Amino acid sequence: MDQGDAPLLDALIDYRKSKRYGFTPPGHRQGRGVDERVLEVLGSQPFRDDVLASGGLDDRRTRNKYLKHAEDLMAEAVGAEVAWFSTCGSSASVKAAMLAVAGGSDGGLLVGRDSHKSIVAGLIFSGVQPRWITPRWDADRHISHPPSPEDVSAAWDKYPDAAGALVVSPSPYGTCTDLAGIAQVCHDRAKPLIVDEAWGAHLPFHEDLPTWAMDAGADVCVVSVHKMGAGFEQLSGVSF
Ligand SMILES: Cc1ncc(COP(=O)(O)O)c(C=O)c1O
């Protein structure tokens, strides 16, 4: 694959050039229905470019595969088998990952206690029982670090029937854990590891940065492209 390809951008250029008009949302009709005061502030271009991926840029059956091609490029760039883009941020992606791994299971999910509230919301919505792993308190810096492989291993000893483990790395304070060690601990028990890497979109792209989840052998990785990447607000991705 050519990482210089930009399939969605090309499709948008084509959409503009051919002056297409769709009958699907958004209701502002590429800006035609927008209040003048809004246009004065935002200009018309954001509305012109606000087009559905399926039933907009592409046809309803997504036969041109613009989005799929872009997701395949992402998967290749970050060393994943599959990648999906999602909107509603990692708050939605993390719930999808939790449901995929632990939905309907009785054993619960090992979860770092320093989890973001979207994970806690995922537990509430899914009914999956949390099997908390205590993060490491750093008394010198007065911050906590994500759980270590030893912490995760101890949690597995306590809850061997859990469906998988979920850790947040980088932590909200910006420190990372030994993901390869944690992945190993999980895989020794034939269990999957989900990494909430919401703050790590940049990690795969510079060798001096800490290892990122896919490289470290995690099974599912959630990343907020809109945080440390260059995506629009709410752009997130799930890779496995
Ligand atoms: C660790 C962590 N996970 C998930 C999320 C949710 O991400 P988003 O804002 O992309 O919905 C956040 C948001 O701050 C976060 O810090």
Side-chain angles (χ1 to χ4, degrees), residues 23-95:
F23 292 93
T24 53
H28 57 66
R29 320 309 314 153
Q30 268 63 61
R32 292 169 181 80
V34 175
D35 190 300
E36 280 304 324
R37 290 166 299 174
V38 178
L39 287 179
E40 256 174 49
V41 177
L42 296 183
S44 58
Q45 204 59 53
F47 297 97
R48 291 213 187 107
D49 293 338
D50 188 20
V51 183
L52 287 183
S54 123
L57 275 190
D58 208 338
D59 64 24
R60 273 195 174 278
R61 294 167 65 192
T62 57
R63 278 178 294 194
N64 296 297
K65 302 196 183 319
Y66 302 130
L67 182 58
K68 174 80 172 60
H69 185 185
E71 289 173 330
D72 288 349
L73 284 164
M74 168 85 174
E76 187 189 73
V78 300
E81 277 174 49
V82 181
W84 292 281
F85 296 145
S86 81
T87 48
C88 296
S90 294
S91 299
S93 308
V94 89
K95 292 180 184 70

Side-chain angles (χ1 to χ4, degrees), residues 88-92 94 114-116 118-119 168 170-172 196-199 222-227 233-236:
C88 296
S90 294
S91 299
V94 89
D114 55 347
S115 288
H116 184 254
S118 57
I119 295 176
V168 178
S171 77
D196 176 350
E197 204 163 47
W199 288 98
V222 172
V223 62
S224 291
V225 184
H226 70 123
K227 287 193 169 77
E233 261 309 302
Q234 299 204 7
L235 177 58
S236 169

Side-chain angles (χ1 to χ4, degrees), residues 9-230:
L9 206 56
D10 290 344
L12 195 55
I13 293 168
D14 182 57
Y15 192 94
R16 283 189 197 164
K17 271 195 198 144
S18 53
K19 296 197 170 53
R20 281 164 57 197
Y21 181 84
F23 292 93
T24 53
H28 57 66
R29 320 309 314 153
Q30 268 63 61
R32 292 169 181 80
V34 175
D35 190 300
E36 280 304 324
R37 290 166 299 174
V38 178
L39 287 179
E40 256 174 49
V41 177
L42 296 183
S44 58
Q45 204 59 53
F47 297 97
R48 291 213 187 107
D49 293 338
D50 188 20
V51 183
L52 287 183
S54 123
L57 275 190
D58 208 338
D59 64 24
R60 273 195 174 278
R61 294 167 65 192
T62 57
R63 278 178 294 194
N64 296 297
K65 302 196 183 319
Y66 302 130
L67 182 58
K68 174 80 172 60
H69 185 185
E71 289 173 330
D72 288 349
L73 284 164
M74 168 85 174
E76 187 189 73
V78 300
E81 277 174 49
V82 181
W84 292 281
F85 296 145
S86 81
T87 48
C88 296
S90 294
S91 299
S93 308
V94 89
K95 292 180 184 70
M98 292 168 73
L99 280 166
V101 168
S105 77
D106 295 330
L109 184 67
L110 305 186
V111 189
R113 193 63 189 87
D114 55 347
S115 288
H116 184 254
K117 60 188 172 186
S118 57
I119 295 176
V120 177
L123 292 168
I124 294 167
F125 289 145
S126 66
V128 169
Q129 284 299 312
R131 309 299 185 202
W132 297 119
I133 315 172
T134 308
R136 287 168 294 159
W137 177 244
D138 182 336
D140 290 337
R141 297 180 183 83
H142 284 245
I143 59 174
S144 66
H145 302 299
S148 66
E150 293 71 28
D151 298 328
V152 177
S153 184
W156 278 122
D157 289 344
K158 217 165 155 194
Y159 303 108
D161 295 333
L166 194 174
V167 296
V168 178
S169 180
S171 77
Y173 299 108
T175 59
C176 296
T177 186
D178 173 6
L179 285 179
I182 294 180
Q184 189 60 53
V185 160
C186 294
H187 296 162
D188 285 348
R189 290 165 171 83
K191 300 286 186 166
L193 170 66
I194 308 171
V195 178
D196 176 350
E197 204 163 47
W199 288 98
H202 56 313
L203 298 183
F205 302 110
H206 199 286
E207 59 195 22
D208 292 341
L209 292 170
T211 305
W212 94 287
M214 287 288 104
D215 245 11
D219 299 281
V220 188
C221 170
V222 172
V223 62
S224 291
V225 184
H226 70 123
K227 287 193 169 77
M228 300 301 282

